[in-house]
Amino acid sequence: MRLRALLDTPTLGLRLLGGEDELDRTVRGVMTTDLRDPSRYLSGGELVLTGLAWRREPADSERFVRILAAAGVAGLAAGEAEMSAIPDDLVRACARHRLPLFAVEEAVSFASITEHVVRQVSGERAGDLAAVVERHRRLMTSGPAGGGPEVVLDLLGSDLDLRAWVLSPTGRQIAGSTLADAGPALSADLAARLAGEHLAAARTGRRGPHRVTIEAGGGAQSLDEGLGVSPAHTARPGDGAGGPSGTTYSLFPIRYEGRDLRQTVLSDWLLAVEADAGDWPEERLDLLHGVTQLIAVERDRRDAARTVRRRLAQEVLELVQTGAPPAEIAARLRVAAPVLLPGLGTAPHWQIVVARVEWEGGDVPGGPVAQALLEEMLVDPGAAGPEPSDRIAVAHTGDEAVALVPLPVPDESGDSSAKGLHAEQLLALIQGPLGRGLADDGRLTVGVSASVHSAEGLRGALEEARHARRVAAARPGRVCAAGHEELASHVLLLPFVPDDVRRAFTARLLDPLRDYDRRHRAELIPTLEAFLDCDGSWTRCATRLHLHVNTLRYRVGRIEQLTGRDLSRLEDKLDFFLALRMS
């Protein structure tokens, strides 16, 4: 369809603000976003709908429009719900970049525009196809009649007799049909296998849908020409195969194409349909692609909702890394708690998870991919609510992503570890599917810290998680993870350390402190032992030694000055611990 056709539909409530000479542009899709940089989700030809939440100052308009123009979008439609009028700076920026700009009346929903464009782009439908398309708008509406991907999956089931599920790249079921006669649930094992098949097929660069048959006898066979299935990735009986010849699934990517596949493949959702799309007419294929576009809008909405949590995580991470006082970190966490822990109202314990994605050649940034992966991996499969990841905050720097994960407060026994994250459980969840998506040129390594009960412990937890990730990185394999419990394995090595190595190591680290204690009776060695025994807690250590906290800080500062070490770094704490154990 042409942009000009949008103005011929009064019910859409669009008013042209600029770009009349460009109205013959072809619209190939629609995208709703309030991201400051939506470029990774654009492939060209879209009508972009925005509520202007990305605009904080006039200069933001130029940057946003420049990104859209570079991506080749067809036009921009801005809602008037947040502002009484479209800002002049946005009008001028669109004029400079020759980007048609529409204003959307407050009474008109973006869902109505999305449904109209998808219907027009897909063309006229007949019979049951037309009925499904007509009712797709309920996917984007609020209230009992709609509100999520489940609505459109119900329509596919009731109108076209198609069983379908929306899956994450790890195989977690994001949405499925809610109909009473929807049939047996998709098992977690089968969902993970379908996700792995999709990732493996996507890495070949072939356009979806990808088709695979899960055989009743225990195998998986790709139906896409030229795609092979490794014997290591086969189905097992009882995983949903529907007869002697097996069950065929068609896997549709829920994303636009156009960027380096490695930047999105590990974070994209997929639509798994229990049917062979190989013999479908073109109209039905177009319909399913339209469905994926509507679900992509829902994905973009959820991504936009994570923006605040990501920003809070980044702020807390910067405070922790720069050595800010624990009181300042604790105050920031109290401010973040209503966003990270809606409805809980209690200060939790915390755990830190570090992930790093690296691609051969180093030409693709791994940080954003690792961030999206952590947001997916750390969702509790048993959590209730429409969006369980709203209690996970993830930041990224470079190729590394850092997650701040709240944990339940300890029970009466004081134990909260049972409900915490464990590296081996994470690895079991992600290793199969993501290993196929990483193929032979990518690598994911993950480190998990122990839980800490206060802001004082976050710096150590961050170093602990990073050190655990380095332990994982030393292992073979495309997907590796290690936890804090593995860092204690150095104790097993102590009996095998040669005596001369012990003496040289301990002398280099502890002799300056012993000499200072002899001259000044400063008790730096006992202070160091107590500080490590208290896990770096200033308050508990000062109480144990019957000192004022300022006196303890002075002694620790003197230890660091004499040794050139930093007791806030995990590596230096480990060195001191080893030196004391070997002395």
Side-chain angles (χ1 to χ4, degrees), residues 9-212:
T9 309
T11 57
L12 295 183
L14 296 177
R15 187 173 71 258
L16 184 64
L17 300 182
E20 185 174 1
D21 295 340
E22 304 293 331
L23 291 180
D24 286 329
R25 292 185 180 186
T26 299
V27 179
R28 297 186 176 89
V30 63
M31 175 189 178
T32 300
T33 185
D34 277 312
L35 296 175
R36 293 171 65 84
D37 181 2
S39 57
R40 62 176 295 187
Y41 306 128
L42 297 170
S43 60
E46 297 91 353
L47 173 67
V48 174
L49 308 176
T50 181
L52 300 177
W54 48 265
R55 183 184 178 275
R56 300 174 185 172
E57 58 183 6
D60 291 340
S61 293
E62 170 64 24
R63 178 177 179 274
F64 185 76
V65 172
R66 185 170 62 248
I67 290 172
L68 298 189
V73 304
L76 173 65
E80 294 181 328
E82 292 293 328
M83 304 181 182
S84 58
I86 305 303
D88 290 339
D89 48 88
L90 180 59
V91 176
R92 290 193 296 269
C94 287
R96 280 194 295 272
H97 292 277
R98 302 180 64 83
L99 182 66
L101 175 64
F102 302 86
V104 183
E105 294 178 3
E106 183 176 353
V108 178
S109 71
F110 285 173
S112 299
I113 300 174
T114 298
E115 183 249 346
H116 176 82
V117 171
V118 169
R119 186 170 64 246
Q120 294 300 316
V121 169
S122 299
E124 294 300 326
R125 298 290 186 253
D128 56 357
L129 297 181
V132 173
V133 174
E134 179 63 24
R135 287 153 52 191
H136 276 174
R137 60 183 176 83
R138 295 196 308 183
L139 173 65
M140 301 303 298
T141 61
S142 59
E150 290 82 3
V151 174
V152 74
L153 298 184
D154 285 347
L155 291 174
L156 290 177
S158 61
D159 290 26
L160 299 183
D161 196 27
L162 290 176
R163 298 182 69 216
W165 304 265
V166 178
L167 304 178
S168 77
T170 63
R172 181 175 67 90
Q173 182 172 314
I174 294 166
S177 175
T178 61
L179 298 176
D181 58 350
L186 190 70
S187 72
D189 190 66
L190 177 57
R193 186 170 299 109
L194 291 176
E197 296 291 341
H198 169 73
L199 290 174
R203 284 306 307 274
T204 68
R206 288 179 175 270
R207 184 177 179 85
H210 308 297
R211 299 174 297 134
V212 61

Side-chain angles (χ1 to χ4, degrees), residues 327-406:
E328 184 178 353
I329 300 174
R332 194 71 193 92
L333 287 174
R334 284 194 296 272
V335 172
V339 177
L340 299 179
L341 308 168
L344 290 189
T346 56
H349 286 198
W350 300 94
Q351 210 167 357
I352 287 182
V353 180
V354 172
R356 190 178 183 91
V357 172
E358 298 171 287
W359 301 101
E360 290 183 7
D363 56 329
V364 176
V369 178
Q371 183 180 45
L373 276 178
L374 280 184
E375 289 172 337
E376 165 57 36
M377 289 159 43
L378 302 180
V379 173
D380 180 0
E387 185 49 82
S389 66
D390 63 1
R391 291 181 182 174
I392 298 166
V394 187
H396 80 82
T397 54
D399 289 334
E400 178 187 80
V402 179
L404 184 65
V405 184

Side-chain angles (χ1 to χ4, degrees), residues 471-537:
V471 170
R475 297 170 176 165
R478 289 293 171 184
V479 183
C480 299
H484 61 91
E485 64 280 354
E486 298 185 56
L487 302 185
S489 60
H490 56 266
V491 176
L492 302 176
L493 302 178
L494 293 181
F496 305 98
V497 177
D499 288 341
D500 58 337
V501 175
R502 289 173 185 248
R503 286 191 295 270
F505 180 78
T506 56
R508 184 172 66 253
L509 204 57
L510 299 182
D511 280 358
L513 305 182
R514 291 168 177 154
D515 292 343
Y516 191 89
D517 281 347
R518 281 196 297 269
R519 294 197 308 270
H520 302 281
R521 297 182 180 179
E523 298 186 331
L524 294 186
I525 292 291
T527 299
L528 175 62
E529 291 174 331
F531 188 73
L532 294 176
D533 285 344
C534 292
D535 297 323
S537 170

